[in-house]
Amino acid sequence: MKKEEIRLVLKESYEKYKGLKEGVNASYIPYLEKINPELCAISVVTVDGETISMGDDKFKFAIESISKVCTLALAMQDIGINGIRKKIGDSPTGLPFNSVIALELHKDKPLSPLVNAGAMATTSIIKAADKETRWKRILEMQRGFMNAQIELSEELNASEQNTNCHNKSIAWLLYSAHHMYCDPVEACEVYTRQCSTLVTSIDLATMAATLANKGINPLTKKRVIDGRNVPHILAEMTMEGLYDESGDFAYLVGLPGKSGVGGGLLAVVPGKLGIATFSPPLNVAGNSVRGLKMIRNFANKLRFNIFC
Ligand code: GLU
């Protein structure tokens, strides 16, 4: 595929939707509520290492739930794909990302590593002797997927750690049902840190491109994860990556994706490229409104759909 063709469709997707006024910033994390809702970026990184990008692609925003994919990848390295299926699960919950009812319905097994309960359980699975080692390993995985400059934002982390009572409750529920594999307070704290790193749309496109490139980061050329785990990660993303809108995304776009309440959204075109968008206003499901429209337009126009 020619770079010029990608640039044209990327530009069209950006121009068409950058001014769309729908959705609202996430407000349950005070830091996110303050971000300028007008910001908008779209970026592509190809498996050959080309970057095509436009809009506010230098702006650093909260990775949030997209971090769950990196931690899942690390946990898969640590305990294998069958370990993940057994201990966490591999299916959509059909309920919002922070649902407690989802736990009640499935005997407290989280089912998905890409919703809050399963993500905290996944963080607890990472092999580590103590909290700081657990955190360091997760941060290193994010850096491998994106770049070595990825850092925690102290301000965002404080904003989240001070307001994450709901997640703390979920962590204790998991612990009481024997689905937490380290101290639940530690798991919740490290999970909250992993959501509090700052990234750009280019960073997220690089992460998506690393998955598109069977686990090798196309910019650093370094292997980040075992290529054999990639299909399993993409399957989880397809089923659960956009919360309870994952089915719509599979139906309308047909690519494995992952969103975060910070306004980031990425999608993987296996063997070809990673695409990512940033735009803070979210719909009721917690997905970026402009991001969904931009990626759908881009993928449809270029006929990127894993089911075709
Ligand atoms: N830190 C956020 C939370 O735990 C992440 C949610 C998300 O992006 O889905 O609620």
Side-chain angles (χ1 to χ4, degrees):
M1 165 132 324
K2 290 207 186 70
K3 195 175 168 181
E4 209 31 53
E5 193 181 357
I6 294 175
R7 179 182 297 284
L8 276 177
V9 182
L10 207 66
K11 189 160 181 354
E12 182 204 281
S13 310
Y14 174 72
E15 296 294 343
K16 200 164 167 188
Y17 296 113
K18 70 174 186 207
L20 187 72
K21 303 254 182 289
E22 271 175 43
V24 283
N25 285 26
S27 57
Y28 72 99
I29 298 169
Y31 179 101
L32 301 180
E33 201 176 10
K34 295 185 309 195
I35 305 297
N36 177 1
E38 305 292 330
L39 290 166
C40 187
I42 184 163
S43 306
V44 157
V45 172
T46 69
V47 294
D48 306 323
E50 298 262 24
T51 301
I52 311 151
S53 186
M54 53 203 69
D56 301 299
D57 58 4
K58 310 251 173 334
F59 186 84
K60 293 189 177 179
F61 58 92
I63 189 170
E64 297 299 341
S65 204
I66 299 168
S67 67
K68 291 168 181 163
V69 176
C70 300
T71 307
L72 169 63
L74 182 58
M76 253 185 207
Q77 305 269 105
D78 280 1
I79 67 163
I81 53 171
N82 290 328
I84 295 291
R85 289 187 79 202
K86 198 161 148 245
K87 292 188 157 163
I88 310 286
D90 57 6
S91 301
T93 65
L95 286 160
F97 66 93
N98 56 0
S99 175
V100 174
I101 295 172
L103 283 175
E104 294 277 323
L105 287 174
H106 303 102
K107 299 197 180 74
D108 292 329
K109 190 174 176 187
L111 281 199
S112 162
L114 301 184
V115 297
N116 289 10
M120 284 190 279
T122 306
T123 299
S124 80
I125 277 173
I126 303 302
K127 288 188 179 148
D130 54 47
K131 182 166 73 182
E132 293 315 315
T133 312
R134 186 177 308 280
W135 163 238
K136 202 162 176 293
R137 289 196 68 211
I138 290 172
L139 179 62
E140 282 311 314
M141 184 51 92
Q142 290 192 13
R143 288 176 172 164
F145 265 113
M146 293 175 272
N147 68 67
Q149 278 75 51
I150 303 297
E151 289 286 359
L152 181 83
S153 158
E154 297 293 348
E155 186 193 348
L156 168 58
N157 187 42
S159 182
E160 296 218 22
Q161 301 281 1
N162 293 334
T163 53
N164 66 353
C165 310
H166 189 85
N167 282 345
K168 283 179 182 141
S169 311
I170 292 175
W172 278 111
L173 278 177
L174 287 167
Y175 181 72
S176 73
H178 309 288
H179 287 299
M180 191 55 102
Y181 301 92
C182 78
D183 170 32
V185 175
E186 174 180 332
C188 186
E189 189 188 327
V190 175
Y191 161 79
T192 305
R193 282 191 214 174
Q194 81 183 36
C195 292
S196 302
T197 57
L198 296 183
V199 294
T200 65
S201 57
I202 298 176
D203 294 333
L204 292 186
T206 310
M207 174 176 161
T210 302
L211 290 166
N213 197 30
K214 296 190 168 71
I216 297 175
N217 182 321
L219 300 188
T220 63
K221 313 281 183 220
K222 288 192 185 140
R223 174 162 294 287
V224 182
I225 54 168
D226 188 332
R228 284 172 299 185
N229 289 346
V230 170
H232 304 287
I233 295 169
L234 297 183
E236 298 269 16
M237 289 167 67
T238 305
M239 289 183 293
E240 311 134 28
L242 279 88
Y243 315 119
D244 46 349
E245 239 180 0
S246 304
D248 300 79
F249 197 71
Y251 197 98
L252 298 171
V253 181
L255 295 175
K258 184 72 198 91
S259 65
V261 294
L265 175 62
L266 61 75
V268 179
V269 186
K272 294 195 170 71
L273 55 85
I275 178 165
T277 55
F278 165 59
S279 165
L282 310 178
N283 64 17
V284 283
N287 296 313
S288 167
V289 179
R290 291 187 201 120
L292 282 173
K293 300 239 185 228
M294 290 192 286
I295 292 188
R296 182 176 168 187
N297 188 71
F298 177 82
N300 287 177
K301 288 272 159 71
L302 292 174
R303 299 188 203 290
F304 289 144
N305 183 326
I306 59 166
F307 303 112
C308 289

